[in-house]
PDB file of all heavy atoms in Angstrom:
ATOM      1  N   ALA B 309     -24.824 -15.703   8.869  1.00 97.00           N
ATOM      2  CA  ALA B 309     -25.337 -14.885  10.001  1.00 97.00           C
ATOM      3  C   ALA B 309     -26.263 -15.688  10.935  1.00 97.00           C
ATOM      4  O   ALA B 309     -26.171 -15.677  12.062  1.00 97.00           O
ATOM      5  CB  ALA B 309     -26.082 -13.684   9.367  1.00 97.00           C
ATOM      6  N   LYS B 310     -27.149 -16.473  10.179  1.00 97.00           N
ATOM      7  CA  LYS B 310     -28.186 -17.312  11.044  1.00 97.00           C
ATOM      8  C   LYS B 310     -27.361 -18.226  11.899  1.00 97.00           C
ATOM      9  O   LYS B 310     -27.683 -18.547  13.041  1.00 97.00           O
ATOM     10  CB  LYS B 310     -29.147 -17.950  10.208  1.00 97.00           C
ATOM     11  CG  LYS B 310     -30.197 -16.938   9.767  1.00 97.00           C
ATOM     12  CD  LYS B 310     -31.266 -17.518   8.726  1.00 97.00           C
ATOM     13  CE  LYS B 310     -32.057 -16.316   8.152  1.00 97.00           C
ATOM     14  NZ  LYS B 310     -32.469 -16.371   6.810  1.00 97.00           N
ATOM     15  N   ALA B 311     -26.341 -18.965  11.256  1.00 97.00           N
ATOM     16  CA  ALA B 311     -25.673 -19.939  12.052  1.00 97.00           C
ATOM     17  C   ALA B 311     -24.853 -19.289  13.102  1.00 97.00           C
ATOM     18  O   ALA B 311     -24.364 -20.088  14.082  1.00 97.00           O
ATOM     19  CB  ALA B 311     -24.576 -20.638  11.041  1.00 97.00           C
ATOM     20  N   ASN B 312     -24.668 -17.980  13.171  1.00 96.00           N
ATOM     21  CA  ASN B 312     -23.917 -17.282  14.283  1.00 96.00           C
ATOM     22  C   ASN B 312     -24.989 -16.480  15.097  1.00 96.00           C
ATOM     23  O   ASN B 312     -24.538 -15.396  15.664  1.00 96.00           O
ATOM     24  CB  ASN B 312     -22.798 -16.330  13.656  1.00 96.00           C
ATOM     25  CG  ASN B 312     -21.630 -17.280  13.159  1.00 96.00           C
ATOM     26  OD1 ASN B 312     -20.891 -17.658  13.995  1.00 96.00           O
ATOM     27  ND2 ASN B 312     -21.441 -17.362  11.960  1.00 96.00           N
ATOM     28  N   LYS B 313     -26.060 -16.949  15.202  1.00 97.00           N
ATOM     29  CA  LYS B 313     -27.059 -16.429  16.209  1.00 97.00           C
ATOM     30  C   LYS B 313     -27.574 -15.082  15.937  1.00 97.00           C
ATOM     31  O   LYS B 313     -28.004 -14.339  16.761  1.00 97.00           O
ATOM     32  CB  LYS B 313     -26.546 -16.462  17.703  1.00 97.00           C
ATOM     33  CG  LYS B 313     -26.044 -17.860  18.059  1.00 97.00           C
ATOM     34  CD  LYS B 313     -25.358 -17.866  19.393  1.00 97.00           C
ATOM     35  CE  LYS B 313     -24.508 -18.975  19.923  1.00 97.00           C
ATOM     36  NZ  LYS B 313     -23.474 -18.673  20.857  1.00 97.00           N
ATOM     37  N   ALA B 314     -27.587 -14.681  14.596  1.00 97.00           N
ATOM     38  CA  ALA B 314     -28.180 -13.494  14.275  1.00 97.00           C
ATOM     39  C   ALA B 314     -29.713 -13.419  14.639  1.00 97.00           C
ATOM     40  O   ALA B 314     -30.368 -14.338  14.489  1.00 97.00           O
ATOM     41  CB  ALA B 314     -28.020 -13.107  12.852  1.00 97.00           C
ATOM     42  N   VAL B 315     -30.096 -12.232  15.256  1.00 97.00           N
ATOM     43  CA  VAL B 315     -31.575 -12.136  15.543  1.00 97.00           C
ATOM     44  C   VAL B 315     -32.325 -11.353  14.626  1.00 97.00           C
ATOM     45  O   VAL B 315     -33.475 -11.632  14.499  1.00 97.00           O
ATOM     46  CB  VAL B 315     -31.769 -11.618  17.020  1.00 97.00           C
ATOM     47  CG1 VAL B 315     -31.346 -12.630  17.982  1.00 97.00           C
ATOM     48  CG2 VAL B 315     -30.984 -10.298  17.146  1.00 97.00           C
ATOM     49  N   THR B 316     -31.680 -10.550  13.814  1.00 96.00           N
ATOM     50  CA  THR B 316     -32.444  -9.839  12.718  1.00 96.00           C
ATOM     51  C   THR B 316     -31.481  -9.992  11.541  1.00 96.00           C
ATOM     52  O   THR B 316     -30.293  -9.655  11.622  1.00 96.00           O
ATOM     53  CB  THR B 316     -32.739  -8.516  12.956  1.00 96.00           C
ATOM     54  OG1 THR B 316     -31.547  -7.777  13.494  1.00 96.00           O
ATOM     55  CG2 THR B 316     -33.745  -8.175  13.908  1.00 96.00           C
ATOM     56  N   VAL B 317     -32.093 -10.231  10.320  1.00 96.00           N
ATOM     57  CA  VAL B 317     -31.320 -10.293   9.094  1.00 96.00           C
ATOM     58  C   VAL B 317     -32.142  -9.491   8.078  1.00 96.00           C
ATOM     59  O   VAL B 317     -33.245 -10.020   7.764  1.00 96.00           O
ATOM     60  CB  VAL B 317     -30.922 -11.646   8.601  1.00 96.00           C
ATOM     61  CG1 VAL B 317     -30.203 -11.767   7.290  1.00 96.00           C
ATOM     62  CG2 VAL B 317     -30.270 -12.501   9.590  1.00 96.00           C
ATOM     63  N   ARG B 318     -31.757  -8.584   7.566  1.00 96.00           N
ATOM     64  CA  ARG B 318     -32.528  -7.855   6.452  1.00 96.00           C
ATOM     65  C   ARG B 318     -31.687  -7.490   5.380  1.00 96.00           C
ATOM     66  O   ARG B 318     -30.627  -6.861   5.567  1.00 96.00           O
ATOM     67  CB  ARG B 318     -33.093  -6.421   7.127  1.00 96.00           C
ATOM     68  CG  ARG B 318     -34.453  -6.687   7.865  1.00 96.00           C
ATOM     69  CD  ARG B 318     -34.956  -5.615   8.632  1.00 96.00           C
ATOM     70  NE  ARG B 318     -34.882  -4.292   7.807  1.00 96.00           N
ATOM     71  CZ  ARG B 318     -34.771  -3.062   8.271  1.00 96.00           C
ATOM     72  NH1 ARG B 318     -34.694  -2.955   9.683  1.00 96.00           N
ATOM     73  NH2 ARG B 318     -34.795  -2.034   7.645  1.00 96.00           N
ATOM     74  N   VAL B 319     -32.110  -7.818   4.085  1.00 96.00           N
ATOM     75  CA  VAL B 319     -31.546  -7.516   2.943  1.00 96.00           C
ATOM     76  C   VAL B 319     -32.075  -6.421   2.251  1.00 96.00           C
ATOM     77  O   VAL B 319     -33.353  -6.180   2.059  1.00 96.00           O
ATOM     78  CB  VAL B 319     -31.533  -8.757   1.963  1.00 96.00           C
ATOM     79  CG1 VAL B 319     -30.808  -8.522   0.677  1.00 96.00           C
ATOM     80  CG2 VAL B 319     -30.916 -10.020   2.712  1.00 96.00           C
ATOM     81  N   SER B 320     -31.164  -5.372   1.734  1.00 95.00           N
ATOM     82  CA  SER B 320     -31.888  -4.176   1.217  1.00 95.00           C
ATOM     83  C   SER B 320     -32.470  -4.635  -0.178  1.00 95.00           C
ATOM     84  O   SER B 320     -31.963  -5.388  -0.994  1.00 95.00           O
ATOM     85  CB  SER B 320     -30.615  -3.175   0.885  1.00 95.00           C
ATOM     86  OG  SER B 320     -29.735  -3.737  -0.187  1.00 95.00           O
ATOM     87  N   GLN B 321     -33.653  -4.009  -0.334  1.00 94.00           N
ATOM     88  CA  GLN B 321     -34.482  -4.448  -1.453  1.00 94.00           C
ATOM     89  C   GLN B 321     -34.347  -3.432  -2.598  1.00 94.00           C
ATOM     90  O   GLN B 321     -34.511  -3.835  -3.815  1.00 94.00           O
ATOM     91  CB  GLN B 321     -35.903  -4.542  -1.100  1.00 94.00           C
ATOM     92  CG  GLN B 321     -36.272  -5.617  -0.030  1.00 94.00           C
ATOM     93  CD  GLN B 321     -35.855  -7.087  -0.396  1.00 94.00           C
ATOM     94  OE1 GLN B 321     -36.153  -7.492  -1.554  1.00 94.00           O
ATOM     95  NE2 GLN B 321     -35.115  -7.651   0.601  1.00 94.00           N
ATOM     96  N   ASP B 322     -33.849  -2.354  -2.429  1.00 94.00           N
ATOM     97  CA  ASP B 322     -33.520  -1.427  -3.597  1.00 94.00           C
ATOM     98  C   ASP B 322     -32.424  -0.523  -3.096  1.00 94.00           C
ATOM     99  O   ASP B 322     -31.958  -0.552  -2.062  1.00 94.00           O
ATOM    100  CB  ASP B 322     -34.771  -0.721  -3.920  1.00 94.00           C
ATOM    101  CG  ASP B 322     -35.426  -0.090  -2.623  1.00 94.00           C
ATOM    102  OD1 ASP B 322     -34.750   0.315  -1.746  1.00 94.00           O
ATOM    103  OD2 ASP B 322     -36.737  -0.130  -2.695  1.00 94.00           O
ATOM    104  N   GLU B 323     -32.100   0.428  -4.016  1.00 93.00           N
ATOM    105  CA  GLU B 323     -30.965   1.357  -3.729  1.00 93.00           C
ATOM    106  C   GLU B 323     -31.309   2.227  -2.537  1.00 93.00           C
ATOM    107  O   GLU B 323     -30.424   2.584  -1.766  1.00 93.00           O
ATOM    108  CB  GLU B 323     -30.690   2.086  -5.050  1.00 93.00           C
ATOM    109  CG  GLU B 323     -29.355   2.921  -5.081  1.00 93.00           C
ATOM    110  CD  GLU B 323     -28.166   2.072  -4.779  1.00 93.00           C
ATOM    111  OE1 GLU B 323     -28.073   0.919  -4.891  1.00 93.00           O
ATOM    112  OE2 GLU B 323     -27.045   2.859  -4.357  1.00 93.00           O
ATOM    113  N   ASP B 324     -32.562   2.645  -2.606  1.00 95.00           N
ATOM    114  CA  ASP B 324     -33.017   3.513  -1.375  1.00 95.00           C
ATOM    115  C   ASP B 324     -32.745   2.867  -0.114  1.00 95.00           C
ATOM    116  O   ASP B 324     -32.161   3.498   0.853  1.00 95.00           O
ATOM    117  CB  ASP B 324     -34.519   3.831  -1.527  1.00 95.00           C
ATOM    118  CG  ASP B 324     -34.821   5.037  -2.329  1.00 95.00           C
ATOM    119  OD1 ASP B 324     -33.712   5.562  -2.698  1.00 95.00           O
ATOM    120  OD2 ASP B 324     -35.990   5.438  -2.323  1.00 95.00           O
ATOM    121  N   GLU B 325     -33.050   1.634   0.112  1.00 95.00           N
ATOM    122  CA  GLU B 325     -32.848   0.890   1.293  1.00 95.00           C
ATOM    123  C   GLU B 325     -31.443   0.713   1.608  1.00 95.00           C
ATOM    124  O   GLU B 325     -31.080   0.840   2.760  1.00 95.00           O
ATOM    125  CB  GLU B 325     -33.722  -0.515   1.381  1.00 95.00           C
ATOM    126  CG  GLU B 325     -33.770  -1.036   2.742  1.00 95.00           C
ATOM    127  CD  GLU B 325     -34.766  -2.229   2.877  1.00 95.00           C
ATOM    128  OE1 GLU B 325     -34.995  -2.780   1.786  1.00 95.00           O
ATOM    129  OE2 GLU B 325     -35.138  -2.461   3.958  1.00 95.00           O
ATOM    130  N   ARG B 326     -30.639   0.402   0.599  1.00 95.00           N
ATOM    131  CA  ARG B 326     -29.208   0.298   0.866  1.00 95.00           C
ATOM    132  C   ARG B 326     -28.561   1.538   1.388  1.00 95.00           C
ATOM    133  O   ARG B 326     -27.851   1.553   2.321  1.00 95.00           O
ATOM    134  CB  ARG B 326     -28.445  -0.176  -0.436  1.00 95.00           C
ATOM    135  CG  ARG B 326     -27.097  -0.455  -0.336  1.00 95.00           C
ATOM    136  CD  ARG B 326     -26.364  -0.750  -1.608  1.00 95.00           C
ATOM    137  NE  ARG B 326     -26.153   0.480  -2.338  1.00 95.00           N
ATOM    138  CZ  ARG B 326     -24.964   1.160  -2.235  1.00 95.00           C
ATOM    139  NH1 ARG B 326     -24.046   0.874  -1.486  1.00 95.00           N
ATOM    140  NH2 ARG B 326     -24.940   2.223  -3.042  1.00 95.00           N
ATOM    141  N   THR B 327     -28.950   2.587   0.767  1.00 93.00           N
ATOM    142  CA  THR B 327     -28.484   3.994   1.228  1.00 93.00           C
ATOM    143  C   THR B 327     -28.870   4.233   2.612  1.00 93.00           C
ATOM    144  O   THR B 327     -28.161   4.805   3.424  1.00 93.00           O
ATOM    145  CB  THR B 327     -28.954   5.082   0.276  1.00 93.00           C
ATOM    146  OG1 THR B 327     -28.868   4.565  -1.135  1.00 93.00           O
ATOM    147  CG2 THR B 327     -28.275   6.384   0.473  1.00 93.00           C
TER     148      THR B 327
END
Side-chain angles (χ1 to χ4, degrees):
Chain B
K310 282 171 188 154
N312 283 287
K313 306 180 193 153
V315 288
T316 48
V317 180
R318 275 170 50 205
V319 180
S320 67
Q321 297 305 312
D322 51 36
E323 190 55 19
D324 265 4
E325 192 168 18
R326 185 185 75 89
T327 315

